[in-house]
Structures are given as structure tokens and as C-alpha cells.
Amino acid sequence: MKPVLAFDWNGTLLDDASALLQTTNAILAHFGHATIDMATLREHCDVPLSILYRSLGMSQQEIAAVGRNGSAVFHDTYEPLAEKAALREGARRMLELAHREAALPIIVSNHIVAPLRAQLIRLGISDYIKDVLAFESRATQYKSMSKGERLRLYLQKNRLDPGCTFIIGDMPVEMDIARDLGLKSISITGGFVSDARLRAARPDYTITNYHELLPILQSHGFFQGES
């Protein structure tokens, strides 16, 4: 069986940590709070983002205001910044290899389907991604099915082997999903959380870029003809 490569999107395939930091700082400044640096973001970032805002000292009323109108204050700031973000190092080559090897690359994200697909087109990788599992709209973000449940149902529906499925992410949540579903977990540093928090999440493997992913897949018997 060919491997399933379940990639998170933000911070994992898309190098948008700076976009998230700028967006977070715009929100903090809007409510009169001090702005933060990248190290602070990576120490506190969590999903849903209301957890992040709370840890940075925002009140429940302020957090509720950010969440109104489908979190427009977040998305209207973030999306233009994300449109300038590139892929993480080695990601394009990894997706090209997966496509050539007839593997099954999918995206499992807490983002929203339409802007995510627009980014795939902008970056020229839409043909390399089999499916996008994400929230349907701003209105349903973090309110409908969790990404772990989406992935579980996807594997079940398509009769895919969890033992041949790798989840790649930049946050502890992906490592939790891997344990729940019996997947191999691969954390990538340099995303939305600190290296220490990723280590504490106990991934099976840790990479700093996608050049380091190929040897891991080969150690499991996949992509043997590649180098």
C-alpha cells in the first residue's frame, strides 16, 4: 500500500508564522495590549486561537469581539499577509516526489477550504494534493468537526491503513491525533510553536525541513528509488 501523507497547512507546508505574528500583534494593538515577538508567539500559540488570545491577557469580551462576523478582524488582516508567504523549505520537492510515487498527499487543517485551495493554486501545488480536509467557512471554523475526526472518517471511508499514514504538523495537536488514530507522527520545527513544546508532545520523528522527510519514509519501505 502507498503511504498517506497527511500534512497540516499553516506553519507546516505554508511558511506563514510571520503572517500569524503580524496578525496577532494587530489584534493586540487594536485592544491596547502590548505586542509580542516570535518566541512569545511560539510559547503560547494554540488552537482555537482564543486560547492564544487568553494567554496573552485579552479579556473574554475582547476575544468575543475578535470572533464576531466569522472572525473577520483576524481573516481580513491575515489573508493578505498569507498571500505573500512561501512554502517551507523542501516542501515542493516532497510533494512532487509523492505525486510521482503515487502516494496520497492530503491536507488536514484548521483553516478554511476556499482560501486554502486558493493558496494551493497560487503556489502551483494544487495538482499534488489529493484532498483538503478543513473547515467549510469562517462561520463554522472551530465549531464543526475537529481535524482529528475529519481524518479518522476520511481514512475509514477510503479504507486507508492507519499504519501506512504519516501526519506531519508543527503543533502538538497533530501528535495527539497520531496517537489517537495509530498513525506515525512527524513534527516540523520553525512553525507556530517552540521546539521545546514539540519535544514535549513526543512525536515519532522531528524534522527541520522537508529534505529530512524522505529518509524517514524510506526507513518504512516507501520511496525506495528516490534520493
Side-chain angles (χ1 to χ4, degrees), residues 76-111:
D76 290 351
T77 304
Y78 166 81
E79 294 298 346
L81 295 169
E83 287 171 4
K84 301 173 185 175
L87 292 171
R88 296 289 304 269
E89 182 184 346
R92 187 179 305 277
R93 178 175 179 269
M94 187 69 244
L95 292 171
E96 290 170 350
L97 289 178
H99 182 71
R100 189 160 69 229
E101 290 284 319
L104 187 65
I106 63 174
I107 289 174
V108 184
S109 175
N110 279 321
H111 202 47

PDB file of all heavy atoms in Angstrom, residues 76-111:
ATOM      1  N   ASP A  76      -9.335  39.229   7.787  1.00  0.00           N
ATOM      2  CA  ASP A  76      -9.096  40.371   6.906  1.00  0.00           C
ATOM      3  C   ASP A  76      -7.675  40.904   7.044  1.00  0.00           C
ATOM      4  O   ASP A  76      -7.155  41.547   6.123  1.00  0.00           O
ATOM      5  CB  ASP A  76     -10.098  41.494   7.195  1.00  0.00           C
ATOM      6  CG  ASP A  76     -11.512  41.135   6.769  1.00  0.00           C
ATOM      7  OD1 ASP A  76     -11.682  40.090   6.100  1.00  0.00           O
ATOM      8  OD2 ASP A  76     -12.452  41.883   7.101  1.00  0.00           O
ATOM      9  N   THR A  77      -7.046  40.632   8.178  1.00  0.00           N
ATOM     10  CA  THR A  77      -5.639  41.000   8.357  1.00  0.00           C
ATOM     11  C   THR A  77      -4.715  39.896   7.876  1.00  0.00           C
ATOM     12  O   THR A  77      -3.726  40.147   7.170  1.00  0.00           O
ATOM     13  CB  THR A  77      -5.340  41.296   9.845  1.00  0.00           C
ATOM     14  OG1 THR A  77      -6.228  42.304  10.310  1.00  0.00           O
ATOM     15  CG2 THR A  77      -3.908  41.752  10.033  1.00  0.00           C
ATOM     16  N   TYR A  78      -5.053  38.667   8.236  1.00  0.00           N
ATOM     17  CA  TYR A  78      -4.165  37.534   7.954  1.00  0.00           C
ATOM     18  C   TYR A  78      -4.078  37.198   6.465  1.00  0.00           C
ATOM     19  O   TYR A  78      -2.973  36.982   5.943  1.00  0.00           O
ATOM     20  CB  TYR A  78      -4.621  36.301   8.745  1.00  0.00           C
ATOM     21  CG  TYR A  78      -3.971  35.029   8.266  1.00  0.00           C
ATOM     22  CD1 TYR A  78      -2.691  34.686   8.670  1.00  0.00           C
ATOM     23  CD2 TYR A  78      -4.635  34.192   7.354  1.00  0.00           C
ATOM     24  CE1 TYR A  78      -2.076  33.534   8.194  1.00  0.00           C
ATOM     25  CE2 TYR A  78      -4.030  33.045   6.881  1.00  0.00           C
ATOM     26  CZ  TYR A  78      -2.745  32.714   7.298  1.00  0.00           C
ATOM     27  OH  TYR A  78      -2.145  31.589   6.812  1.00  0.00           O
ATOM     28  N   GLU A  79      -5.203  37.100   5.778  1.00  0.00           N
ATOM     29  CA  GLU A  79      -5.198  36.572   4.410  1.00  0.00           C
ATOM     30  C   GLU A  79      -4.280  37.354   3.468  1.00  0.00           C
ATOM     31  O   GLU A  79      -3.519  36.740   2.700  1.00  0.00           O
ATOM     32  CB  GLU A  79      -6.613  36.488   3.843  1.00  0.00           C
ATOM     33  CG  GLU A  79      -7.522  35.482   4.558  1.00  0.00           C
ATOM     34  CD  GLU A  79      -7.058  34.032   4.485  1.00  0.00           C
ATOM     35  OE1 GLU A  79      -6.160  33.719   3.670  1.00  0.00           O
ATOM     36  OE2 GLU A  79      -7.585  33.219   5.259  1.00  0.00           O
ATOM     37  N   PRO A  80      -4.296  38.704   3.449  1.00  0.00           N
ATOM     38  CA  PRO A  80      -3.362  39.418   2.563  1.00  0.00           C
ATOM     39  C   PRO A  80      -1.897  39.134   2.892  1.00  0.00           C
ATOM     40  O   PRO A  80      -1.049  39.120   1.991  1.00  0.00           O
ATOM     41  CB  PRO A  80      -3.714  40.895   2.794  1.00  0.00           C
ATOM     42  CG  PRO A  80      -5.105  40.891   3.299  1.00  0.00           C
ATOM     43  CD  PRO A  80      -5.214  39.651   4.131  1.00  0.00           C
ATOM     44  N   LEU A  81      -1.600  38.923   4.170  1.00  0.00           N
ATOM     45  CA  LEU A  81      -0.229  38.587   4.557  1.00  0.00           C
ATOM     46  C   LEU A  81       0.132  37.170   4.101  1.00  0.00           C
ATOM     47  O   LEU A  81       1.239  36.920   3.600  1.00  0.00           O
ATOM     48  CB  LEU A  81      -0.074  38.700   6.074  1.00  0.00           C
ATOM     49  CG  LEU A  81      -0.243  40.103   6.669  1.00  0.00           C
ATOM     50  CD1 LEU A  81      -0.342  40.030   8.191  1.00  0.00           C
ATOM     51  CD2 LEU A  81       0.925  40.994   6.262  1.00  0.00           C
ATOM     52  N   ALA A  82      -0.800  36.248   4.266  1.00  0.00           N
ATOM     53  CA  ALA A  82      -0.554  34.853   3.878  1.00  0.00           C
ATOM     54  C   ALA A  82      -0.354  34.709   2.372  1.00  0.00           C
ATOM     55  O   ALA A  82       0.350  33.800   1.917  1.00  0.00           O
ATOM     56  CB  ALA A  82      -1.707  33.971   4.341  1.00  0.00           C
ATOM     57  N   GLU A  83      -0.963  35.599   1.606  1.00  0.00           N
ATOM     58  CA  GLU A  83      -0.820  35.537   0.154  1.00  0.00           C
ATOM     59  C   GLU A  83       0.608  35.828  -0.311  1.00  0.00           C
ATOM     60  O   GLU A  83       0.946  35.586  -1.473  1.00  0.00           O
ATOM     61  CB  GLU A  83      -1.789  36.515  -0.515  1.00  0.00           C
ATOM     62  CG  GLU A  83      -3.241  36.030  -0.452  1.00  0.00           C
ATOM     63  CD  GLU A  83      -4.224  37.084  -0.917  1.00  0.00           C
ATOM     64  OE1 GLU A  83      -3.771  38.167  -1.371  1.00  0.00           O
ATOM     65  OE2 GLU A  83      -5.439  36.835  -0.818  1.00  0.00           O
ATOM     66  N   LYS A  84       1.436  36.326   0.597  1.00  0.00           N
ATOM     67  CA  LYS A  84       2.840  36.585   0.274  1.00  0.00           C
ATOM     68  C   LYS A  84       3.763  35.495   0.816  1.00  0.00           C
ATOM     69  O   LYS A  84       4.970  35.522   0.571  1.00  0.00           O
ATOM     70  CB  LYS A  84       3.264  37.940   0.849  1.00  0.00           C
ATOM     71  CG  LYS A  84       2.435  39.111   0.337  1.00  0.00           C
ATOM     72  CD  LYS A  84       2.798  40.388   1.080  1.00  0.00           C
ATOM     73  CE  LYS A  84       1.888  41.538   0.675  1.00  0.00           C
ATOM     74  NZ  LYS A  84       2.151  42.762   1.466  1.00  0.00           N
ATOM     75  N   ALA A  85       3.204  34.544   1.551  1.00  0.00           N
ATOM     76  CA  ALA A  85       4.020  33.507   2.191  1.00  0.00           C
ATOM     77  C   ALA A  85       4.423  32.435   1.186  1.00  0.00           C
ATOM     78  O   ALA A  85       3.677  32.103   0.257  1.00  0.00           O
ATOM     79  CB  ALA A  85       3.258  32.876   3.349  1.00  0.00           C
ATOM     80  N   ALA A  86       5.604  31.885   1.385  1.00  0.00           N
ATOM     81  CA  ALA A  86       6.119  30.813   0.536  1.00  0.00           C
ATOM     82  C   ALA A  86       5.902  29.457   1.205  1.00  0.00           C
ATOM     83  O   ALA A  86       5.440  29.377   2.346  1.00  0.00           O
ATOM     84  CB  ALA A  86       7.607  31.030   0.278  1.00  0.00           C
ATOM     85  N   LEU A  87       6.250  28.394   0.502  1.00  0.00           N
ATOM     86  CA  LEU A  87       6.235  27.060   1.088  1.00  0.00           C
ATOM     87  C   LEU A  87       7.455  26.867   1.974  1.00  0.00           C
ATOM     88  O   LEU A  87       8.492  27.517   1.794  1.00  0.00           O
ATOM     89  CB  LEU A  87       6.233  26.003  -0.010  1.00  0.00           C
ATOM     90  CG  LEU A  87       4.974  25.893  -0.867  1.00  0.00           C
ATOM     91  CD1 LEU A  87       5.222  24.959  -2.041  1.00  0.00           C
ATOM     92  CD2 LEU A  87       3.789  25.406  -0.041  1.00  0.00           C
ATOM     93  N   ARG A  88       7.347  25.966   2.932  1.00  0.00           N
ATOM     94  CA  ARG A  88       8.505  25.604   3.757  1.00  0.00           C
ATOM     95  C   ARG A  88       9.576  24.952   2.885  1.00  0.00           C
ATOM     96  O   ARG A  88       9.296  24.356   1.845  1.00  0.00           O
ATOM     97  CB  ARG A  88       8.071  24.631   4.870  1.00  0.00           C
ATOM     98  CG  ARG A  88       7.092  25.185   5.902  1.00  0.00           C
ATOM     99  CD  ARG A  88       7.738  26.211   6.824  1.00  0.00           C
ATOM    100  NE  ARG A  88       8.909  25.680   7.507  1.00  0.00           N
ATOM    101  CZ  ARG A  88       8.863  25.088   8.698  1.00  0.00           C
ATOM    102  NH1 ARG A  88       7.720  24.944   9.362  1.00  0.00           N
ATOM    103  NH2 ARG A  88       9.983  24.659   9.269  1.00  0.00           N
ATOM    104  N   GLU A  89      10.815  25.029   3.358  1.00  0.00           N
ATOM    105  CA  GLU A  89      11.951  24.523   2.602  1.00  0.00           C
ATOM    106  C   GLU A  89      11.785  23.033   2.272  1.00  0.00           C
ATOM    107  O   GLU A  89      11.549  22.216   3.155  1.00  0.00           O
ATOM    108  CB  GLU A  89      13.244  24.722   3.394  1.00  0.00           C
ATOM    109  CG  GLU A  89      14.483  24.255   2.653  1.00  0.00           C
ATOM    110  CD  GLU A  89      15.744  24.354   3.483  1.00  0.00           C
ATOM    111  OE1 GLU A  89      15.717  25.038   4.538  1.00  0.00           O
ATOM    112  OE2 GLU A  89      16.747  23.735   3.102  1.00  0.00           O
ATOM    113  N   GLY A  90      11.922  22.713   0.988  1.00  0.00           N
ATOM    114  CA  GLY A  90      11.845  21.328   0.530  1.00  0.00           C
ATOM    115  C   GLY A  90      10.443  20.804   0.324  1.00  0.00           C
ATOM    116  O   GLY A  90      10.269  19.671  -0.157  1.00  0.00           O
ATOM    117  N   ALA A  91       9.413  21.597   0.647  1.00  0.00           N
ATOM    118  CA  ALA A  91       8.035  21.099   0.566  1.00  0.00           C
ATOM    119  C   ALA A  91       7.631  20.800  -0.875  1.00  0.00           C
ATOM    120  O   ALA A  91       6.992  19.771  -1.140  1.00  0.00           O
ATOM    121  CB  ALA A  91       7.068  22.109   1.185  1.00  0.00           C
ATOM    122  N   ARG A  92       7.977  21.681  -1.803  1.00  0.00           N
ATOM    123  CA  ARG A  92       7.574  21.464  -3.199  1.00  0.00           C
ATOM    124  C   ARG A  92       8.178  20.166  -3.734  1.00  0.00           C
ATOM    125  O   ARG A  92       7.487  19.361  -4.364  1.00  0.00           O
ATOM    126  CB  ARG A  92       7.997  22.643  -4.068  1.00  0.00           C
ATOM    127  CG  ARG A  92       7.466  22.570  -5.505  1.00  0.00           C
ATOM    128  CD  ARG A  92       7.904  23.780  -6.313  1.00  0.00           C
ATOM    129  NE  ARG A  92       7.510  25.015  -5.667  1.00  0.00           N
ATOM    130  CZ  ARG A  92       6.306  25.555  -5.783  1.00  0.00           C
ATOM    131  NH1 ARG A  92       5.375  24.963  -6.511  1.00  0.00           N
ATOM    132  NH2 ARG A  92       6.021  26.691  -5.166  1.00  0.00           N
ATOM    133  N   ARG A  93       9.459  19.947  -3.483  1.00  0.00           N
ATOM    134  CA  ARG A  93      10.098  18.723  -3.969  1.00  0.00           C
ATOM    135  C   ARG A  93       9.461  17.492  -3.335  1.00  0.00           C
ATOM    136  O   ARG A  93       9.237  16.478  -4.008  1.00  0.00           O
ATOM    137  CB  ARG A  93      11.596  18.743  -3.667  1.00  0.00           C
ATOM    138  CG  ARG A  93      12.316  17.467  -4.121  1.00  0.00           C
ATOM    139  CD  ARG A  93      13.821  17.559  -3.908  1.00  0.00           C
ATOM    140  NE  ARG A  93      14.466  16.331  -4.330  1.00  0.00           N
ATOM    141  CZ  ARG A  93      14.698  15.285  -3.545  1.00  0.00           C
ATOM    142  NH1 ARG A  93      14.306  15.327  -2.274  1.00  0.00           N
ATOM    143  NH2 ARG A  93      15.295  14.203  -3.994  1.00  0.00           N
ATOM    144  N   MET A  94       9.120  17.579  -2.037  1.00  0.00           N
ATOM    145  CA  MET A  94       8.492  16.443  -1.368  1.00  0.00           C
ATOM    146  C   MET A  94       7.150  16.121  -1.999  1.00  0.00           C
ATOM    147  O   MET A  94       6.821  14.942  -2.235  1.00  0.00           O
ATOM    148  CB  MET A  94       8.306  16.777   0.117  1.00  0.00           C
ATOM    149  CG  MET A  94       7.812  15.595   0.959  1.00  0.00           C
ATOM    150  SD  MET A  94       9.063  14.325   1.119  1.00  0.00           S
ATOM    151  CE  MET A  94       8.265  12.965   0.270  1.00  0.00           C
ATOM    152  N   LEU A  95       6.369  17.139  -2.304  1.00  0.00           N
ATOM    153  CA  LEU A  95       5.062  16.921  -2.922  1.00  0.00           C
ATOM    154  C   LEU A  95       5.209  16.381  -4.337  1.00  0.00           C
ATOM    155  O   LEU A  95       4.414  15.537  -4.769  1.00  0.00           O
ATOM    156  CB  LEU A  95       4.263  18.224  -2.922  1.00  0.00           C
ATOM    157  CG  LEU A  95       3.825  18.722  -1.533  1.00  0.00           C
ATOM    158  CD1 LEU A  95       3.234  20.128  -1.642  1.00  0.00           C
ATOM    159  CD2 LEU A  95       2.830  17.775  -0.902  1.00  0.00           C
ATOM    160  N   GLU A  96       6.217  16.842  -5.061  1.00  0.00           N
ATOM    161  CA  GLU A  96       6.475  16.312  -6.402  1.00  0.00           C
ATOM    162  C   GLU A  96       6.834  14.831  -6.343  1.00  0.00           C
ATOM    163  O   GLU A  96       6.359  14.030  -7.159  1.00  0.00           O
ATOM    164  CB  GLU A  96       7.596  17.109  -7.070  1.00  0.00           C
ATOM    165  CG  GLU A  96       7.206  18.525  -7.460  1.00  0.00           C
ATOM    166  CD  GLU A  96       8.390  19.357  -7.901  1.00  0.00           C
ATOM    167  OE1 GLU A  96       9.547  18.901  -7.721  1.00  0.00           O
ATOM    168  OE2 GLU A  96       8.167  20.468  -8.425  1.00  0.00           O
ATOM    169  N   LEU A  97       7.677  14.456  -5.374  1.00  0.00           N
ATOM    170  CA  LEU A  97       8.045  13.049  -5.204  1.00  0.00           C
ATOM    171  C   LEU A  97       6.826  12.207  -4.849  1.00  0.00           C
ATOM    172  O   LEU A  97       6.644  11.099  -5.385  1.00  0.00           O
ATOM    173  CB  LEU A  97       9.098  12.907  -4.108  1.00  0.00           C
ATOM    174  CG  LEU A  97      10.509  13.413  -4.406  1.00  0.00           C
ATOM    175  CD1 LEU A  97      11.387  13.221  -3.178  1.00  0.00           C
ATOM    176  CD2 LEU A  97      11.110  12.713  -5.612  1.00  0.00           C
ATOM    177  N   ALA A  98       6.007  12.704  -3.954  1.00  0.00           N
ATOM    178  CA  ALA A  98       4.811  11.967  -3.550  1.00  0.00           C
ATOM    179  C   ALA A  98       3.887  11.759  -4.733  1.00  0.00           C
ATOM    180  O   ALA A  98       3.300  10.681  -4.909  1.00  0.00           O
ATOM    181  CB  ALA A  98       4.092  12.721  -2.440  1.00  0.00           C
ATOM    182  N   HIS A  99       3.758  12.785  -5.566  1.00  0.00           N
ATOM    183  CA  HIS A  99       2.922  12.677  -6.764  1.00  0.00           C
ATOM    184  C   HIS A  99       3.488  11.633  -7.720  1.00  0.00           C
ATOM    185  O   HIS A  99       2.745  10.791  -8.249  1.00  0.00           O
ATOM    186  CB  HIS A  99       2.849  14.049  -7.433  1.00  0.00           C
ATOM    187  CG  HIS A  99       1.982  14.079  -8.649  1.00  0.00           C
ATOM    188  ND1 HIS A  99       0.608  13.994  -8.590  1.00  0.00           N
ATOM    189  CD2 HIS A  99       2.297  14.193  -9.972  1.00  0.00           C
ATOM    190  CE1 HIS A  99       0.106  14.053  -9.807  1.00  0.00           C
ATOM    191  NE2 HIS A  99       1.110  14.171 -10.662  1.00  0.00           N
ATOM    192  N   ARG A 100       4.786  11.659  -7.922  1.00  0.00           N
ATOM    193  CA  ARG A 100       5.423  10.718  -8.840  1.00  0.00           C
ATOM    194  C   ARG A 100       5.335   9.281  -8.333  1.00  0.00           C
ATOM    195  O   ARG A 100       5.204   8.329  -9.110  1.00  0.00           O
ATOM    196  CB  ARG A 100       6.884  11.119  -9.039  1.00  0.00           C
ATOM    197  CG  ARG A 100       7.592  10.338 -10.138  1.00  0.00           C
ATOM    198  CD  ARG A 100       8.816  11.050 -10.630  1.00  0.00           C
ATOM    199  NE  ARG A 100       9.883  11.079  -9.635  1.00  0.00           N
ATOM    200  CZ  ARG A 100      10.544  12.168  -9.291  1.00  0.00           C
ATOM    201  NH1 ARG A 100      10.244  13.328  -9.829  1.00  0.00           N
ATOM    202  NH2 ARG A 100      11.513  12.103  -8.409  1.00  0.00           N
ATOM    203  N   GLU A 101       5.382   9.121  -7.010  1.00  0.00           N
ATOM    204  CA  GLU A 101       5.336   7.787  -6.406  1.00  0.00           C
ATOM    205  C   GLU A 101       3.909   7.289  -6.184  1.00  0.00           C
ATOM    206  O   GLU A 101       3.712   6.211  -5.636  1.00  0.00           O
ATOM    207  CB  GLU A 101       6.069   7.818  -5.061  1.00  0.00           C
ATOM    208  CG  GLU A 101       7.561   7.977  -5.167  1.00  0.00           C
ATOM    209  CD  GLU A 101       8.251   6.699  -5.584  1.00  0.00           C
ATOM    210  OE1 GLU A 101       7.863   5.613  -5.103  1.00  0.00           O
ATOM    211  OE2 GLU A 101       9.191   6.782  -6.400  1.00  0.00           O
ATOM    212  N   ALA A 102       2.920   8.096  -6.622  1.00  0.00           N
ATOM    213  CA  ALA A 102       1.502   7.734  -6.449  1.00  0.00           C
ATOM    214  C   ALA A 102       1.141   7.537  -4.985  1.00  0.00           C
ATOM    215  O   ALA A 102       0.292   6.708  -4.649  1.00  0.00           O
ATOM    216  CB  ALA A 102       1.160   6.486  -7.271  1.00  0.00           C
ATOM    217  N   ALA A 103       1.798   8.293  -4.112  1.00  0.00           N
ATOM    218  CA  ALA A 103       1.396   8.327  -2.704  1.00  0.00           C
ATOM    219  C   ALA A 103       0.128   9.162  -2.599  1.00  0.00           C
ATOM    220  O   ALA A 103      -0.396   9.646  -3.609  1.00  0.00           O
ATOM    221  CB  ALA A 103       2.518   8.918  -1.859  1.00  0.00           C
ATOM    222  N   LEU A 104      -0.367   9.329  -1.392  1.00  0.00           N
ATOM    223  CA  LEU A 104      -1.625  10.062  -1.197  1.00  0.00           C
ATOM    224  C   LEU A 104      -1.387  11.254  -0.269  1.00  0.00           C
ATOM    225  O   LEU A 104      -1.592  11.165   0.931  1.00  0.00           O
ATOM    226  CB  LEU A 104      -2.687   9.132  -0.604  1.00  0.00           C
ATOM    227  CG  LEU A 104      -4.105   9.705  -0.492  1.00  0.00           C
ATOM    228  CD1 LEU A 104      -4.693   9.983  -1.860  1.00  0.00           C
ATOM    229  CD2 LEU A 104      -5.003   8.742   0.270  1.00  0.00           C
ATOM    230  N   PRO A 105      -0.978  12.403  -0.832  1.00  0.00           N
ATOM    231  CA  PRO A 105      -0.807  13.592  -0.001  1.00  0.00           C
ATOM    232  C   PRO A 105      -2.145  14.304   0.185  1.00  0.00           C
ATOM    233  O   PRO A 105      -2.834  14.617  -0.787  1.00  0.00           O
ATOM    234  CB  PRO A 105       0.165  14.474  -0.797  1.00  0.00           C
ATOM    235  CG  PRO A 105       0.521  13.696  -2.033  1.00  0.00           C
ATOM    236  CD  PRO A 105      -0.526  12.653  -2.208  1.00  0.00           C
ATOM    237  N   ILE A 106      -2.515  14.551   1.420  1.00  0.00           N
ATOM    238  CA  ILE A 106      -3.732  15.294   1.723  1.00  0.00           C
ATOM    239  C   ILE A 106      -3.382  16.391   2.725  1.00  0.00           C
ATOM    240  O   ILE A 106      -2.322  16.355   3.349  1.00  0.00           O
ATOM    241  CB  ILE A 106      -4.848  14.390   2.286  1.00  0.00           C
ATOM    242  CG1 ILE A 106      -4.424  13.770   3.624  1.00  0.00           C
ATOM    243  CG2 ILE A 106      -5.235  13.310   1.281  1.00  0.00           C
ATOM    244  CD1 ILE A 106      -5.525  12.986   4.320  1.00  0.00           C
ATOM    245  N   ILE A 107      -4.261  17.366   2.852  1.00  0.00           N
ATOM    246  CA  ILE A 107      -4.098  18.410   3.852  1.00  0.00           C
ATOM    247  C   ILE A 107      -5.207  18.274   4.881  1.00  0.00           C
ATOM    248  O   ILE A 107      -6.381  18.122   4.520  1.00  0.00           O
ATOM    249  CB  ILE A 107      -4.113  19.802   3.203  1.00  0.00           C
ATOM    250  CG1 ILE A 107      -2.821  20.007   2.398  1.00  0.00           C
ATOM    251  CG2 ILE A 107      -4.268  20.902   4.250  1.00  0.00           C
ATOM    252  CD1 ILE A 107      -2.786  21.286   1.600  1.00  0.00           C
ATOM    253  N   VAL A 108      -4.808  18.304   6.151  1.00  0.00           N
ATOM    254  CA  VAL A 108      -5.757  18.248   7.266  1.00  0.00           C
ATOM    255  C   VAL A 108      -5.513  19.501   8.094  1.00  0.00           C
ATOM    256  O   VAL A 108      -4.484  19.625   8.750  1.00  0.00           O
ATOM    257  CB  VAL A 108      -5.561  16.982   8.118  1.00  0.00           C
ATOM    258  CG1 VAL A 108      -6.614  16.902   9.199  1.00  0.00           C
ATOM    259  CG2 VAL A 108      -5.593  15.742   7.247  1.00  0.00           C
ATOM    260  N   SER A 109      -6.458  20.434   8.040  1.00  0.00           N
ATOM    261  CA  SER A 109      -6.174  21.772   8.544  1.00  0.00           C
ATOM    262  C   SER A 109      -7.320  22.352   9.371  1.00  0.00           C
ATOM    263  O   SER A 109      -8.485  21.983   9.175  1.00  0.00           O
ATOM    264  CB  SER A 109      -5.890  22.705   7.356  1.00  0.00           C
ATOM    265  OG  SER A 109      -5.715  24.036   7.767  1.00  0.00           O
ATOM    266  N   ASN A 110      -6.955  23.290  10.251  1.00  0.00           N
ATOM    267  CA  ASN A 110      -7.952  24.084  10.953  1.00  0.00           C
ATOM    268  C   ASN A 110      -8.283  25.366  10.202  1.00  0.00           C
ATOM    269  O   ASN A 110      -9.023  26.205  10.712  1.00  0.00           O
ATOM    270  CB  ASN A 110      -7.456  24.443  12.367  1.00  0.00           C
ATOM    271  CG  ASN A 110      -7.659  23.315  13.353  1.00  0.00           C
ATOM    272  OD1 ASN A 110      -8.677  22.625  13.322  1.00  0.00           O
ATOM    273  ND2 ASN A 110      -6.691  23.112  14.229  1.00  0.00           N
ATOM    274  N   HIS A 111      -7.730  25.513   9.003  1.00  0.00           N
ATOM    275  CA  HIS A 111      -8.033  26.678   8.174  1.00  0.00           C
ATOM    276  C   HIS A 111      -9.352  26.423   7.438  1.00  0.00           C
ATOM    277  O   HIS A 111     -10.094  25.494   7.751  1.00  0.00           O
ATOM    278  CB  HIS A 111      -6.881  26.952   7.213  1.00  0.00           C
ATOM    279  CG  HIS A 111      -6.836  28.356   6.706  1.00  0.00           C
ATOM    280  ND1 HIS A 111      -6.954  29.460   7.520  1.00  0.00           N
ATOM    281  CD2 HIS A 111      -6.693  28.848   5.438  1.00  0.00           C
ATOM    282  CE1 HIS A 111      -6.882  30.559   6.804  1.00  0.00           C
ATOM    283  NE2 HIS A 111      -6.732  30.221   5.533  1.00  0.00           N
TER     284      HIS A 111
END
